[in-house]
Amino acid sequence: MSDIVAEIRELRVEIDGRAIVDGVNLRVRPGKVAALVGASGSGKTTTGLALLGEYPAGARVSGDVRLTADGPVGYVPQHPAAVLNPARRVGTLLYDIARAQVRHLPRAERRAAARERVLRALSDAQLPDAEALLRRHPHQLSGGQQQRVVLAQALLLGARVVVADEPTTGQDALTKSRVVEQLAAVAARGIAVVLLSHDLDVVRALADEVLVMREGRVVESGPADRLWRAPRHPWTRRLLDERRVPVRDAVGGRPVLEVRDLTAVHGTTTVLRAPRLTLRAGECLAVVGRSGSGKTTLARCLSGLHRDFAGEVLLDGSALPRSLRRRDRGQLAAVQYVFQDARAAFDEHRTVLDQAARTAVRLRGSGEREAREEALRALAELGLPEGLARRRPGELSGGELQRAALARALLARPRVLICDEITCGLDTVSRRGLLDLLTGLVRDGADDLSLVLITHDLDTARLADRIAVLDAGALVEQGSARRVLTEPRHPFTVDLMEATTRWGAESRS
């Protein structure tokens, strides 16, 4: 046991008689990366959280979980907003940890020592412009920035084991490569890393050992190089199937949603400039860029969730009110938003079915019974049968909740559907299924539905008819997907494409 810092033996976790983890064994070694991969709902996160002694409410647990290393277990969650206090600035969150670690120093030295630790942790977590970031609240950060703030917290805590749950979710290739470098550096310092990830490129680049999970069980495990070279289980081979999405040709149609001279701010800081952008009927528009480039701010302006902007957002030629509260029922139904963090978008005390049906009642005036029947059909079509639909959000996996959020939005029968990084937390099988579904929704609906796809992933952007590229809050390029992906014109787009190609090639070497 001297070379093992944590061990799980025959772990079984049951909820209402259903095993969500069944017979899992895991040994975590210092300086090594153990990766758990599998589809959404396979039990990866439940297994990882067992190392922290955390289990779902009401769970029945058997088996052993042992920690042999000194120090806490650090945790970087898939949805960082869930562990960041929205009322406290980033600097306050980090300084609370750092100050506790420098109390042994003379009083005159503590402030400088705490500051040095915080800035070093932010740098190690690949967060530039630390001074400005420390003054912000979590809601003023992108999903990728929130993820890296939580990573900085784990680094500050000095954990000997770090559980990283989808740590590259929502991040572009440029940022992803640095996060991978940082996690590799963490392991190089003798810290064990348990990586829970659907991103097979990240797993290839980092993992020493891989455990493949399906429906709560480990179906295959072994050294990473062997697993990729000669997978033995059919499910492993399916996960490794990485068919690319074919590039689409742009479609023509009348303008549905238009942006004119939009300038958005956070406080006194300008975070987005988009002089002109048009979404046409029956079209899919992908908005791509690095984490923090302004993608989500643009989406929130379109949907009425961010009102601090100048300029106009027009629906069918008429200006939409900036604030969600000032939009009428028809305008609310017309523009629907599916969030990156689906869990934060649900009331944890009500069933998923109730919340989905409520959309049809509130925005379309449907009767309660009719709405519930329609919601059950919509959820089932997205892979959530009635048994799952009647559960509360906390009993569903992240991927299951993402599909529930999509069904809820579609029940409004929107003209425009805004999807914010909704595939970034999914495995390859689930991701491809959801992309196929979105393609079908837009194409089968003819001119009734248009899609804004917010993504960091250029491969996912291949689904789109047109692509708009953001860099540091500026709209730097837009055009047909085929042209942007094959003949990028702006230097940032060129860099982003080259980094994506290089990252994929290096992770396979």
Side-chain angles (χ1 to χ4, degrees):
M1 291 290 291
S2 59
D3 64 337
I4 297 175
V5 293
E7 184 175 15
I8 293 175
R9 294 180 180 176
E10 295 295 328
L11 178 66
R12 181 179 174 88
V13 181
E14 294 182 17
I15 297 179
D16 297 330
R18 180 177 68 98
I20 58 176
V21 168
D22 190 6
V24 171
N25 294 285
L26 171 66
R27 287 185 172 185
V28 183
R29 303 179 190 278
K32 300 295 183 180
V33 178
L36 276 62
V37 303
S40 176
S42 62
K44 301 189 304 294
T45 297
T46 300
T47 301
L49 287 175
L51 293 170
L52 287 84
E54 298 287 342
Y55 301 96
R60 183 177 177 182
V61 181
S62 61
D64 292 325
V65 178
R66 301 181 182 182
L67 301 176
T68 62
D70 295 331
V73 176
Y75 180 55
V76 182
Q78 179 179 359
H79 302 294
V83 296
L84 293 172
N85 188 332
R88 309 186 76 196
R89 298 181 190 273
V90 171
T92 304
L93 296 171
L94 295 176
Y95 276 116
D96 279 354
I97 299 172
R99 279 193 291 266
Q101 296 174 340
V102 298
R103 287 175 181 166
H104 64 285
L105 297 176
R107 184 180 297 272
E109 299 177 16
R110 293 177 187 173
R111 181 185 295 271
R115 177 181 176 80
E116 180 184 353
R117 285 174 179 250
V118 167
L119 294 178
R120 184 171 64 247
L122 289 173
S123 176
D124 289 344
Q126 306 297 329
L127 277 166
D129 196 17
E131 294 292 348
L133 186 140
L134 289 170
R135 295 191 293 270
R136 295 182 185 176
H137 289 85
H139 74 272
Q140 295 174 310
L141 306 179
S142 70
Q145 287 172 322
Q146 291 176 347
Q147 192 81 267
R148 281 170 278 156
V149 167
V150 177
L151 176 58
Q153 288 181 314
L155 296 174
L156 269 176
L157 286 168
R160 302 306 304 165
V161 179
V162 172
V163 178
D165 190 354
E166 304 286 5
T168 55
T169 289
Q171 296 180 10
D172 60 277
L174 295 168
T175 305
K176 183 188 297 185
S177 62
R178 285 197 288 269
V179 172
V180 168
E181 289 171 1
Q182 174 55 43
L183 289 176
V186 169
R189 295 199 295 267
I191 299 172
V193 176
V194 178
L195 175 66
L196 318 177
S197 183
H198 72 282
D199 192 324
L200 298 181
D201 286 339
V202 171
V203 174
R204 280 193 184 99
L206 276 173
D208 298 291
E209 180 183 11
V210 179
L211 285 75
V212 181
M213 297 190 68
R214 187 181 189 193
E215 298 178 351
R217 288 181 170 271
V218 175
V219 298
E220 184 168 0
S221 64
D225 57 350
R226 197 278 301 165
L227 204 71
W228 258 265
R229 186 178 64 256
R232 296 168 181 168
H233 195 278
W235 180 246
T236 308
R237 291 194 290 270
R238 188 178 175 191
L239 283 177
L240 295 177
D241 178 12
E242 297 183 27
R243 296 165 295 170
R244 293 174 64 83
V245 181
V247 178
R248 303 188 59 86
D249 291 316
V251 300
R254 67 187 184 282
V256 174
L257 199 66
E258 298 177 83
V259 169
R260 295 180 181 173
D261 300 319
L262 188 148
T263 301
V265 299
H266 281 309
T268 60
T269 303
T270 299
V271 294
L272 176 65
R273 289 186 177 89
R276 187 167 293 273
L277 189 62
T278 301
L279 176 69
R280 299 185 181 279
E283 181 181 63
C284 175
L285 171 69
V287 181
V288 304
R290 297 184 63 181
S291 175
S293 64
K295 303 188 302 295
T296 294
T297 298
L298 173 61
R300 291 174 66 86
C301 289
L302 298 178
S303 61
L305 294 172
H306 184 93
R307 62 183 181 181
D308 295 332
F309 69 87
E312 290 184 309
V313 176
L314 296 91
L315 178 68
D316 295 326
S318 299
L320 285 170
R322 291 190 181 95
S323 173
L324 196 68
R325 295 182 179 180
R326 296 182 59 194
R327 297 187 182 184
D328 61 34
R329 187 166 72 174
Q331 292 168 333
L332 291 172
V335 182
Q336 285 289 298
Y337 196 127
V338 184
F339 294 87
Q340 176 179 351
D341 184 358
R343 196 168 301 280
F346 280 91
D347 180 347
E348 63 181 15
H349 301 295
R350 298 169 57 211
T351 69
V352 167
L353 174 60
D354 287 341
Q355 294 179 70
R358 182 61 182 165
T359 296
V361 173
R362 186 172 64 89
L363 297 182
R364 290 176 29 228
S366 299
E368 294 283 351
R369 181 175 178 178
E370 176 189 357
R372 288 178 67 84
E373 291 175 351
E374 185 179 1
L376 279 172
R377 289 195 299 272
L379 289 163
E381 288 173 0
L382 292 177
L384 295 175
E386 184 172 349
L388 290 177
R390 293 188 181 278
R391 293 180 181 173
R392 292 184 173 84
E395 299 175 274
L396 271 61
S397 71
E400 290 167 341
L401 272 182
Q402 194 64 268
R403 294 195 291 274
L406 180 58
R408 180 176 61 180
L410 291 172
L411 284 165
R413 296 181 185 171
R415 299 284 311 288
V416 176
L417 183 65
I418 302 172
C419 297
D420 190 354
E421 298 281 16
I422 67 169
T423 64
C424 66
L426 301 179
D427 61 274
T428 54
V429 175
S430 301
R431 170 182 168 274
R432 182 56 188 264
L434 188 54
L435 290 178
D436 288 344
L437 173 67
L438 290 173
T439 303
L441 288 172
V442 175
R443 301 300 160 225
D444 294 346
D447 289 349
D448 293 336
L449 180 65
S450 300
L451 178 65
V452 178
L453 188 64
I454 306 296
T455 182
H456 70 284
D457 181 14
L458 289 181
D459 195 33
T460 297
R462 296 164 69 90
L463 169 73
D465 302 295
R466 291 192 306 115
I467 294 177
V469 183
L470 292 176
D471 179 34
L475 179 59
V476 297
E477 182 168 2
Q478 57 179 307
S480 72
R482 187 174 297 278
R483 201 275 300 162
V484 172
L485 291 171
T486 59
E487 301 176 13
R489 296 170 182 171
H490 192 274
F492 173 74
T493 314
V494 174
D495 288 346
L496 189 61
M497 291 192 62
E498 289 178 349
T500 301
T501 302
R502 183 172 62 252
W503 164 243
E506 290 176 353
S507 67
R508 288 164 172 78
S509 61

